[in-house]
Amino acid sequence: MRKVGSDGVVLALVAAASTALTAGTASAAEVQRSAAGTLKDGTAVEAITLVGANGVSARVLTYGATLQSLIAPDRDGNKADVVLGYDDLADYVDHPNYFGVTVGRYANRIAGGTFTLDGKKFQLPLNEAANSLHGGGKGFDKQVWRVVSVKNGPVASVVLAHRSPDGDSGYPGQFDVTVTYSLDDKGSLTIAFEGKTSKTTIVNMTNHAIFNLAGEGSPMGATGHRLTVPAATYTPVDAKLIPTGERRPVAGTVFDFRSPRVVADGIRDGHDQQIRYGQGYDHNFALDKGLTAKPELAARLEDPQSGRVLEVLTTEPGVQFYTGNFLDGTYLGKKGHLYRMGDGIALEPQKFPDAPNHPDFVSARVDPGKPYRHVMIYRLSTTR
């Protein structure tokens, strides 16, 4: 791994470009690079901060290609960090909880950690009871990614790369992947995942940011937010949180977010077995738009108190809605905040959970010569 500061020419060019842009073009987005610490083996970790002219900024760690912070102004211009996480690198390493990380190779759950491709069965590590979750425990969120490039201008960006070898955590094929974070001056953070495989494999990547639009650690949590999800059906789960294969209509249930609905209205409705299984919401919604070539709306989240609005767009056919049900006060987050159930909301665009074991779900198969691609957007704005 390249150590921070070892490429002095690159860092100098970035600094010079950033200075020139600040002096000559106030509206241009900027990139800032800094050291974020080192791992126990001495590997250096960088932080790359993308700064937009409208007050939105995003800080990305090379460890896990992690969105460590996302700062946005409220309706009165007051800024706050709207994603849960940690202040220090050591906490991401020692107390992993997927805060803002890049998830892969396969986001969400695979039943029994097994799947079959072309008649051959593959076994993944089990890291959630009988399931393989988010890559099996040593996924992309626990790797140090390489900085390929950074760019200032109307859109500030950083490209990160990682090579997952053939057989990594049981997945077939060498998978070479990049994650590009891009921030414009209108408050849109685009995250693009692209990869190529040497053998047929399965891929399902997303970002696992957990949002509180009132500001992470705010005492009222995030369950007072209003959520809209343009999905007429969702995929119910069994007691192990694995999809049953059914696509169930949301109409008449606490899963109907086709019109704005306060999250708290259904999060503790024990009349619905699905809420009891998830201990709240932890479910995939089958988006009406399906799989698309360009990102389209997957969810809209609004905090009435601050006026902040988050729109999530994606090319993928599903979005996992998770209400932080396993946050139990043992996680000491940013600024010493104790995170508890409902303190944040994740909206994770993706293929459906356990898709490799459900032929009628959109396939997660990736073949040589046919690159993987997922583009998602976090679009921030305010409303009165």
Side-chain angles (χ1 to χ4, degrees), residues 103 178-180 190-195 203-207 289 291-293 295 312-318 348-351 371-377:
V103 182
T178 61
V179 177
T180 303
T190 299
I191 307 175
F193 309 94
E194 299 177 282
V203 181
N204 182 33
M205 294 182 64
T206 193
N207 183 272
K289 74 176 189 65
L291 187 68
T292 51
V312 181
L313 295 84
T314 181
T315 54
E316 294 292 69
E348 307 160 58
Q350 59 191 279
K351 300 289 195 308
Y372 170 81
R373 178 177 177 270
H374 171 205
V375 180
M376 58 180 286
I377 301 172

Side-chain angles (χ1 to χ4, degrees), residues 2-5 7 10-11 14-15 18 31-35 46-49 59 62 146-150 158:
R2 179 160 56 92
K3 302 291 190 289
V4 175
D7 193 341
V10 172
L11 292 175
V14 171
S18 190
V31 181
Q32 302 166 1
R33 294 175 72 168
S34 61
E46 281 192 70
I48 300 92
T49 303
R59 190 174 197 256
T62 54
R146 176 173 55 90
V147 178
V148 176
S149 65
V150 296
V158 57

Side-chain angles (χ1 to χ4, degrees), residues 121-380:
K121 185 176 180 179
F122 295 90
Q123 179 66 57
L124 310 176
L126 304 180
N127 62 322
E128 188 199 51
N131 301 329
S132 182
L133 175 68
H134 296 329
K138 294 184 179 179
F140 293 172
D141 60 298
K142 295 177 178 64
Q143 311 302 322
V144 176
W145 293 59
R146 176 173 55 90
V147 178
V148 176
S149 65
V150 296
K151 182 180 180 182
N152 294 283
V155 177
S157 65
V158 57
V159 181
L160 305 173
H162 172 62
R163 170 168 287 180
S164 175
D166 184 15
D168 187 15
S169 292
Y171 291 91
Q174 176 179 293
F175 188 61
D176 290 295
V177 59
T178 61
V179 177
T180 303
Y181 285 88
S182 305
L183 179 68
D184 66 20
D185 281 326
K186 297 180 180 179
S188 292
L189 178 66
T190 299
I191 307 175
F193 309 94
E194 299 177 282
K196 298 180 180 179
T197 184
S198 63
K199 297 179 182 178
T200 297
T201 191
I202 58 170
V203 181
N204 182 33
M205 294 182 64
T206 193
N207 183 272
H208 201 288
I210 301 180
F211 291 92
N212 184 340
L213 297 182
E216 66 78 30
S218 66
M220 298 304 292
T223 59
H225 293 10
R226 290 196 291 260
L227 176 66
T228 307
V229 179
T233 61
Y234 75 104
T235 53
V237 296
D238 61 20
K240 296 179 180 179
L241 301 181
I242 295 295
T244 62
E246 176 188 1
R247 297 195 193 194
R248 185 175 297 174
V250 301
T253 76
V254 295
F255 291 86
D256 193 348
F257 289 93
R258 291 175 294 176
S259 296
R261 178 179 190 149
V262 176
V263 171
D265 287 351
I267 193 173
R268 291 180 175 84
D269 190 345
H271 294 94
D272 194 307
Q273 178 66 65
Q274 288 297 305
I275 295 295
R276 299 203 300 272
Y277 280 155
Q279 300 178 38
Y281 292 103
D282 193 2
H283 294 78
N284 169 69
F285 286 75
L287 298 169
D288 294 342
K289 74 176 189 65
L291 187 68
T292 51
K294 296 181 179 180
E296 296 184 16
L297 186 68
R300 184 181 190 274
L301 192 64
E302 178 185 344
D303 173 36
Q305 299 301 314
S306 67
R308 292 188 184 92
V309 175
L310 169 71
E311 292 176 303
V312 181
L313 295 84
T314 181
T315 54
E316 294 292 69
V319 61
Q320 185 83 5
F321 171 36
Y322 170 60
T323 46
N325 311 327
F326 301 109
L327 301 177
D328 59 5
T330 62
Y331 300 100
L332 189 64
K334 297 172 181 175
K335 300 178 181 177
H337 293 143
L338 287 176
Y339 296 144
R340 302 188 67 87
M341 178 183 180
D343 279 351
I345 290 170
L347 295 162
E348 307 160 58
Q350 59 191 279
K351 300 289 195 308
F352 296 177
D354 202 33
N357 295 312
H358 295 274
D360 57 330
F361 286 178
V362 175
S363 177
R365 177 183 177 125
V366 178
D367 292 303
K370 297 180 179 180
Y372 170 81
R373 178 177 177 270
H374 171 205
V375 180
M376 58 180 286
I377 301 172
Y378 292 141
R379 180 183 293 163
L380 290 158

Side-chain angles (χ1 to χ4, degrees), residues 81-94:
D81 190 349
V82 297
V83 295
L84 277 61
Y86 298 118
D87 291 321
D88 300 318
L89 171 66
D91 287 321
Y92 284 96
V93 177
D94 298 334

